[in-house]
Structure formats: C-alpha cells, structure tokens
Amino acid sequence: MKDTFQRNINYLRISVTDRCNLRCVYCMPEQGVDLACHEDILRLEEIARVVHSAVLAGIRKVRFTGGEPLVRKNIVDLVAMVNDIPEIDDIALTTNGILLPEMAGRLRKAGLTRVNISLDTLSPEKFSRVTRGGLLSKAWLGVESAREAGFNPVKINTVAIRGFNDDEILDFVDLTRKVPLHIRFIELMPIGAGEEAARSQYISTPELLKTISRKVKLVPEKEVAGSGPARYYRIPGAPGTVGFISPISNHFCDSCNRLRLTSEGLLRPCLHSPTEIDLKTPLRNGASEIEIASIIKLAINSKPERHDMSNTGWQGNRRIMNQIGG
Ligand code: SAM
Ligand code: SF4
C-alpha cells in the first residue's frame, strides 16, 4: 500500500530476537546488555500472524534479522510458516553466518530465498576484535555453506570503518573477481553502540568509490536481485559485484519501502525515528487479522518523509541496533 508520500510499502523486516552470539563493537555494548525477557518476545506463531495481517496491508517481502536470527530456536519452522503464505514472494535473512554451516540447507528447504552475511574484515585477528571474540573461520564457513546450499545471490555486508578496515577495501573488491559474491559496503551509522564511532570512523560512499577507482575500474551494474537501496558496480568480467549502501551521504528515504517489527512486537515505521506502534498487546488480546492489518496501515501512514541522521544523530536512542533489528 502507498504511504502519504506515495511510496509503496511492501517490505517488512522482522527482528526475531534481540540476542546475539557476537558483540560487534558498533552494534552492542560488551556487557550490561538490556535483553527483553522471554515472555515479552513474540512467539513464532505470533510473528506468523503479523505477517498474515501485513499481507492485507500490502506486504510482499519479509526479512528476518535481529540480534542474530539464527540463535532463535525453531527459526527454520518460522521460515516454513511464512513460506506457506502465498502472497509473500521473497523471504530473506541477515546473519553473522556463524551458525549457517549447520542450518543453511534446512533454511533453504524451508523456503528461505536469500541470505546476507555480515563480515567486516578478512583478518582473523581483526574479526575477533570487532566482534569481541568471534572466529573468522566460522563466519567464512557460513559464507561457503550458503553458496553450497544454493543461495544466489549471497551478499556480504561490510560496514566501512576508518582505522579498522579502510586498508582492506580493495581486498574485498578483489574477492568479487574470483567468487560470485556481492560485497556491499555500508556507511557506519550513529546508532546505539555505533554512535561514538560514527563521529570519528565514518567513511562516506564517495570517499570509498574514490579509493577504489584509483586502483580498479568499476562499471555501474543495473540490478542484483533484492538490491533495495544499494547501488551496484562490477569489475568488467568479474562474477561478483560491489555495492554501496549510503544511509548518511545519500539517504534513500524517498524510495524507502519498509517497516520494521521489533522482537517485542513493536512496529517501527522508520529505523531512525523513535515512533513505535504496539502490535503485541492487540495480538495477545485476540485481535483479528483484519484489526491487526488496520494498525499496520496506520503505521504505514505515519511513516516520516525522511530521517535527519547526518544533522541530528540517532533519534531512536531508546534502543540499540540489536533490539530494533538491523
Ligand atoms: N546479527 C545479524 C548480522 O550481523 O548480520 C543481523 C543483525 S545486524 C544488527 C544487521 C546489520 O546491521 C549488520 O550488517 C550490521 O553490520 C549492521 N549494523 C549494526 N550496527 C550498525 C551501525 N551502527 N552502522 C551500520 N551498520 C550497522
Ligand atoms: Fe550481533 Fe549482528 Fe549486532 Fe554483530 S551486528 S552484534 S552479529 S546483531
């Protein structure tokens, strides 16, 4: 359905948990993480009911995220439940990849269409530093198992961080010459634990493109399946592509087609606005799918025209990224 700014809102990003098996420095604090209690998290059946209702409000694409969606018990069953909804034509997942080796095949069989894996460095030591203890070899096995399970495209999300991985940008680009991976550089956002770092370690897309084009010729690419706000390029003849997601330097609000559902059942019309609409209470009070759909339509109509992150910083500051779902 169209919102008040004539954008077609057809995409729901669902955070299935606020828990995570890593602690990336720009996403979650090391300790003292304020996690929701078990009863406050939507049950799988409740999430599936929200998707059924969302379909009545025009949603056609779903992405599972978190926290780390693969630590949510029975996530494969949830994928299968959503796959049974005929109107949903695309089910994607964003993961750190650590648990993919044991789950990729089952997720694909259950109906998952696409997978994005977050990977900020190709150095085991730096991976351990940025994730506070993660093993790069496990994440990389996750990438390989996604490819072996037949996911195509497999996209890699890399947050560009000055003084951390700016010396590896060309190595990531080089990977696309050898493997059909879609590397997407994401601008660091002033969100939650990333707020401090974003002040000093942010690298803009134009700066990245300049660095890359000094060494490598990139040609613009039309589209990669599910490309959303990313702009894609390719080294001529390479099997993979290089994409850029630029929420700060070139916000894509005028084409934003998404709503977000937090793991506690709050609907967020915009990642960067603190507005949240409670779906859990009506769900647990027995509201019908039509009634839930009308609340979702209200959320769509309250979507702001744009965010103002570059001027005002993080406006959703009551929550950090793992709580909302990245
Ligand atoms: N755990 C999963 C993962 O890491 O892919 C899914 C959730 S994570 C919050 C989703 C995405 O948000 C990841 O690609 C992560 O790098 C990104 N992210 C988290 N905090 C960010 C920040 N401050 N700026 C930019 N991207 C961020
Ligand atoms: Fe966990 Fe993903 Fe956040 Fe890293 S970015 S701490 S993997 S939720």
Side-chain angles (χ1 to χ4, degrees), residues 122-238:
L122 300 170
S123 143
E125 182 276 317
K126 280 158 82 175
F127 186 84
S128 168
R129 221 178 333 135
V130 76
T131 60
R132 298 196 180 98
L135 279 179
L136 176 64
S137 53
K138 282 197 178 172
W140 194 253
L141 264 184
V143 174
E144 287 181 346
S145 61
R147 291 184 54 214
E148 275 159 25
F151 287 108
N152 185 22
V154 172
K155 295 180 185 171
I156 305 287
N157 288 348
T158 303
V159 180
I161 308 170
R162 192 178 305 285
F164 174 71
N165 61 6
D166 43 354
D167 57 342
E168 292 186 77
I169 301 301
L170 290 167
D171 298 335
F172 274 105
V173 171
D174 212 42
L175 263 183
T176 68
R177 287 185 205 271
K178 302 165 201 148
V179 210
L181 287 173
H182 302 277
I183 308 286
R184 294 132 41 100
F185 295 110
I186 303 177
E187 290 179 342
L188 182 62
M189 293 182 282
I191 294 183
E195 192 155 19
E196 203 48 48
R199 267 188 262 277
S200 54
Q201 291 180 282
Y202 164 79
I203 312 177
S204 71
T205 293
E207 184 180 337
L208 282 179
L209 269 167
K210 215 183 208 172
T211 308
I212 297 169
S213 55
R214 271 193 214 116
K215 300 274 182 199
V216 181
K217 178 181 158 71
L218 286 180
V219 291
E221 179 78 1
K222 264 192 258 116
E223 195 162 303
V224 173
S227 59
R231 294 287 158 267
Y232 283 95
Y233 297 80
R234 192 187 290 269
I235 301 175

Side-chain angles (χ1 to χ4, degrees), residues 19-24 26-28 66-68 96 118 131 321-322:
R19 285 160 170 74
C20 188
N21 47 358
L22 297 178
R23 286 284 179 281
C24 300
Y26 52 76
C27 177
M28 282 175 91
E68 173 48 42
N96 59 35
S118 304
T131 60
M321 196 68 158
N322 70 301

Side-chain angles (χ1 to χ4, degrees), residues 45-280:
E45 295 70 22
E46 291 173 330
I47 296 174
R49 273 195 68 213
V50 171
V51 180
H52 275 283
S53 309
V55 158
L56 302 177
I59 296 295
R60 295 292 177 265
K61 285 168 56 168
V62 164
R63 174 175 297 277
F64 296 115
T65 178
E68 173 48 42
L70 299 187
V71 304
R72 177 75 197 252
K73 214 171 148 212
N74 300 330
I75 178 77
V76 177
D77 297 340
L78 178 61
V79 170
M81 283 185 227
V82 171
N83 190 43
D84 281 343
I85 304 173
E87 292 86 350
I88 296 294
D89 51 34
D90 190 36
I91 311 175
L93 179 129
T94 301
T95 171
N96 59 35
I98 300 289
L99 295 174
L100 267 181
E102 61 220 63
M103 297 176 77
R106 284 186 290 136
L107 285 163
R108 181 138 171 84
K109 268 202 198 113
L112 191 71
T113 344
R114 292 183 298 111
V115 63
N116 290 10
I117 301 165
S118 304
L119 191 77
D120 299 328
T121 172
L122 300 170
S123 143
E125 182 276 317
K126 280 158 82 175
F127 186 84
S128 168
R129 221 178 333 135
V130 76
T131 60
R132 298 196 180 98
L135 279 179
L136 176 64
S137 53
K138 282 197 178 172
W140 194 253
L141 264 184
V143 174
E144 287 181 346
S145 61
R147 291 184 54 214
E148 275 159 25
F151 287 108
N152 185 22
V154 172
K155 295 180 185 171
I156 305 287
N157 288 348
T158 303
V159 180
I161 308 170
R162 192 178 305 285
F164 174 71
N165 61 6
D166 43 354
D167 57 342
E168 292 186 77
I169 301 301
L170 290 167
D171 298 335
F172 274 105
V173 171
D174 212 42
L175 263 183
T176 68
R177 287 185 205 271
K178 302 165 201 148
V179 210
L181 287 173
H182 302 277
I183 308 286
R184 294 132 41 100
F185 295 110
I186 303 177
E187 290 179 342
L188 182 62
M189 293 182 282
I191 294 183
E195 192 155 19
E196 203 48 48
R199 267 188 262 277
S200 54
Q201 291 180 282
Y202 164 79
I203 312 177
S204 71
T205 293
E207 184 180 337
L208 282 179
L209 269 167
K210 215 183 208 172
T211 308
I212 297 169
S213 55
R214 271 193 214 116
K215 300 274 182 199
V216 181
K217 178 181 158 71
L218 286 180
V219 291
E221 179 78 1
K222 264 192 258 116
E223 195 162 303
V224 173
S227 59
R231 294 287 158 267
Y232 283 95
Y233 297 80
R234 192 187 290 269
I235 301 175
T241 63
V242 182
F244 298 88
I245 302 181
S246 322
I248 308 285
S249 67
N250 184 15
H251 72 81
F252 31 82
C253 305
D254 53 356
S255 61
C256 180
N257 60 348
R258 57 191 65 180
L259 291 179
R260 291 170 191 265
L261 180 69
T262 73
S263 51
E264 292 176 84
L266 301 165
L267 204 55
R268 284 181 79 106
C270 169
L271 170 63
H272 306 287
S273 140
T275 304
E276 291 174 339
I277 294 152
D278 179 16
L279 287 187
K280 182 173 63 190

